[in-house]
Amino acid sequence: MGVLCSVIKFENLHELRRLCHWGPIIALGVIAICSTMAMIDSVLWYWPLHTTGGSVNFIMLINWTVMILYNYFNAMFIGPGYVPLDWKPEKSQDSMYLQYCKVCQAYKAPRSHHCRKCNRCVMKMDHHCPWINNCCGYQNHASFILFLLLAPLGCIHAAFIFVMTMYTQLYNRISFGWSTVKIDMSAARRDPLPVVPFGLSAFAASLFALGLALGTTVAVGMLFFIQMKVILRNKTSIESWIEEKAKDRIQYYQTGEVFIFPYDMGSRWKNFKQVFTWSGVPEGDGLEWPIKEGCHQYSLTIEQLKQKADKRVRSVRYRAMEDYSGACCPLNKGIKTFFTTPCTEEPRIELHKGDLILVTRGLKHWMYGDKILNSAAEESYPLDIEQSPFQEKYSKDYLTVLGGTRVRGWFPRKCVEKCLYDVEADQEIEGEKKNR
């Protein structure tokens, strides 16, 4: 009893709450349905256990299920690894190259990002995955990729079982007429007859499981190839996006800079070994990383600071012209707004008429930004790069956002209109850019 209590700790029981989310419920449901139906179809109607091939096939199905669940739960419960609270670089002067997280009360280590869902700074964060209800990052990236590989392979095997079961059971029971197709769902013509007849319910269940298996193979398989593409370049999905924004920033301002991603080791095999190891434990400590020769240890974080300052410049202030409740799919904002709601777990923000919002990005019918809070504390925040007069105006707005509780999210575009002086500022900034 004492041994059991030492294994089942409070922290472990707390982690079990991750299962109480739509993502794991759906993912585990799909795994359970496909695995169970594949075993039932195989044993009862396609490849019985009294044959050698049937026994091997059954063992393979169990093996797929065990390996898939093992890597799935590893990715979920091991977690990505978090930057220690109150973390700061060993050399105090290096803090000027890093962003500071007010939630975690620590500097953001290189390659780390704050996750609003986990409410922590995640080491080498790739993304927050709703299917495991956890972040994918430094510690669990390998397990997550193995799950993405094994799930389609297991589903392909299961799909083969479903197709062959329906084919062998219905082959001698389909009669074609001139105007109708009649399927006789009577007992299978097989010697010996199966213990359980392959009826209409079994056919419907097999067909449904086949659809799930094929859908999972395509969706998860595509995600696997996307993940492998960035891993072989020793990047994360977020870092790929940062690199794209770096190119956009350099092209926009025509600064003549050349941004080199610092963590690409120059070899796909070396990049691969940064994630996958024989021991299963990733290399390093998640805080410091080997870099390409000629690059600065903080090349990526410096670029992030530049992009953050550029974001202040490009942000546009909007004023709410009507109330918005914060609903995910608002019915009173038009059909197009309802059906084009962003497919993301990012929050929506409630708006009241007269609210000011700093918009940083947008879609055709939706926008994303930070609400300017008048009650925020007036604090002095150092900027990351030299400011122009126009940056100063936007920085003041950001002070009101950063000085207090940050409220940001999506809202319908039709609820707001652009502030007039922002239009004039945009024209001046554009003119300044052309004169560089």
Side-chain angles (χ1 to χ4, degrees):
M1 187 66 180
V3 176
L4 182 62
C5 292
S6 64
V7 174
I8 304 177
K9 299 179 181 178
F10 174 76
E11 292 84 355
N12 297 333
L13 293 177
H14 179 74
E15 283 294 312
L16 290 177
R17 295 177 57 186
R18 293 193 181 277
L19 295 170
C20 302
H21 182 264
W22 63 265
I25 291 174
I26 294 176
L28 293 174
V30 171
I31 295 172
I33 291 173
C34 292
S35 300
T36 303
M37 282 306 304
M39 294 177 190
I40 292 175
D41 280 10
S42 180
V43 172
L44 292 182
W45 299 300
Y46 175 59
W47 219 340
L49 286 176
H50 63 77
T51 63
T52 303
S55 299
V56 173
N57 175 70
F58 187 77
I59 293 173
M60 286 182 64
L61 289 174
I62 294 178
N63 187 52
W64 287 125
T65 304
V66 171
M67 289 194 300
I68 289 170
L69 290 176
Y70 174 78
N71 286 284
Y72 179 83
F73 288 126
N74 266 352
M76 177 185 291
F77 293 123
I78 289 179
Y82 303 111
V83 177
L85 298 176
D86 299 324
W87 180 85
K88 58 182 65 177
E90 293 183 2
K91 299 179 181 178
S92 59
Q93 62 269 27
D94 289 341
S95 60
M96 64 182 294
Y97 304 122
L98 300 172
Q99 299 182 70
Y100 185 80
C101 179
K102 297 190 68 177
V103 177
C104 298
Q105 295 293 308
Y107 286 94
K108 295 182 181 180
R111 311 191 79 176
S112 68
H113 301 273
H114 186 84
C115 175
R116 290 192 300 273
K117 295 291 183 181
C118 299
N119 203 34
R120 286 291 301 274
C121 285
V122 177
M123 294 190 292
K124 196 188 175 185
M125 178 178 175
D126 186 89
H127 67 288
H128 184 91
C129 179
W131 305 111
I132 63 173
N133 194 21
N134 208 340
C135 277
C136 175
Y138 163 66
Q139 290 185 349
N140 65 349
H141 206 173
S143 296
F144 182 74
I145 298 301
L146 288 174
F147 165 72
L148 296 183
L149 172 65
L150 294 170
L153 294 178
C155 285
I156 290 173
H157 187 180
F160 174 79
I161 298 296
F162 300 143
V163 171
M164 293 306 297
T165 298
M166 291 186 288
Y167 174 77
T168 55
Q169 291 298 309
L170 300 178
Y171 180 76
N172 294 320
R173 293 183 283 166
I174 300 178
S175 58
F176 295 91
W178 288 102
S179 58
T180 61
V181 176
K182 180 181 178 182
I183 301 179
D184 177 15
M185 300 302 292
S186 59
R189 297 180 181 178
R190 163 179 141 183
D191 189 21
L193 293 176
V195 177
V196 180
F198 188 78
L200 184 61
S201 59
F203 174 79
S206 299
L207 190 61
F208 176 70
L210 175 63
L212 287 180
L214 294 178
T216 301
T217 300
V218 174
V220 180
M222 290 177 61
L223 183 56
F224 169 76
F225 282 109
I226 292 173
Q227 285 286 307
M228 285 303 301
K229 184 178 179 180
V230 296
I231 284 176
L232 293 177
R233 297 175 182 175
N234 200 14
K235 298 178 184 177
T236 63
S237 301
I238 295 177
E239 290 168 351
S240 296
W241 176 237
I242 292 173
E243 188 176 31
E244 288 299 318
K245 289 194 294 182
K247 295 177 181 177
D248 177 66
R249 181 186 64 80
I250 294 171
Q251 182 179 10
Y252 183 84
Y253 290 106
Q254 299 178 2
T255 59
E257 300 175 63
V258 177
F259 175 73
I260 300 176
F261 185 73
Y263 303 114
D264 189 346
M265 298 290 98
S267 165
R268 292 185 177 182
W269 175 243
K270 290 181 180 178
N271 292 337
F272 181 83
K273 290 194 298 182
Q274 289 291 307
V275 176
F276 296 94
T277 60
W278 289 112
S279 64
V281 179
E283 293 186 355
D285 60 1
L287 300 173
E288 295 184 3
W289 302 90
I291 58 172
K292 181 184 292 186
E293 185 177 352
C295 290
H296 192 276
Q297 181 69 36
Y298 299 103
S299 294
L300 187 66
T301 58
I302 291 172
E303 175 58 33
Q304 288 178 263
L305 292 174
K306 291 180 179 180
Q307 291 180 14
K308 187 174 181 180
D310 180 45
K311 187 178 180 181
R312 297 188 183 102
V313 178
R314 298 204 202 185
S315 297
V316 180
R317 185 150 58 170
Y318 281 75
R319 184 183 299 277
M321 304 308 295
E322 55 184 85
D323 293 343
Y324 166 55
S325 64
C328 182
C329 301
L331 293 171
N332 60 340
K333 302 302 178 184
I335 298 297
K336 292 182 179 179
T337 301
F338 178 83
F339 284 107
T340 58
T341 182
C343 297
T344 173
E345 285 196 335
E346 290 178 312
R348 275 61 170 170
I349 57 173
E350 183 179 356
L351 296 180
H352 300 286
K353 188 174 181 179
D355 285 347
L356 294 176
I357 311 99
L358 279 175
V359 175
T360 56
R361 52 192 165 104
L363 303 174
K364 187 174 182 179
H365 299 288
W366 289 81
M367 305 186 85
Y368 184 92
D370 293 83
K371 185 187 291 188
I372 299 175
L373 305 176
N374 295 328
S375 60
E378 293 291 337
E379 298 183 22
S380 176
Y381 285 84
L383 293 181
D384 308 312
I385 60 175
E386 185 180 352
Q387 300 180 80
S388 70
F390 306 106
Q391 287 175 294
E392 292 178 1
K393 176 180 72 66
Y394 288 102
S395 299
K396 185 176 180 181
D397 290 340
Y398 261 75
L399 295 184
T400 61
V401 173
L402 295 172
T405 303
R406 193 172 187 181
V407 179
R408 59 178 175 172
W410 291 94
F411 54 89
R413 184 183 287 267
K414 68 177 300 181
C415 294
V416 298
E417 70 174 13
K418 198 173 186 179
C419 294
L420 293 178
Y421 59 84
D422 282 285
V423 176
E424 297 173 359
D426 288 344
Q427 294 173 351
E428 294 183 48
I429 291 172
E430 183 65 24
E432 182 183 273
K433 180 181 76 69
K434 290 180 179 178
N435 292 330
R436 291 189 176 183

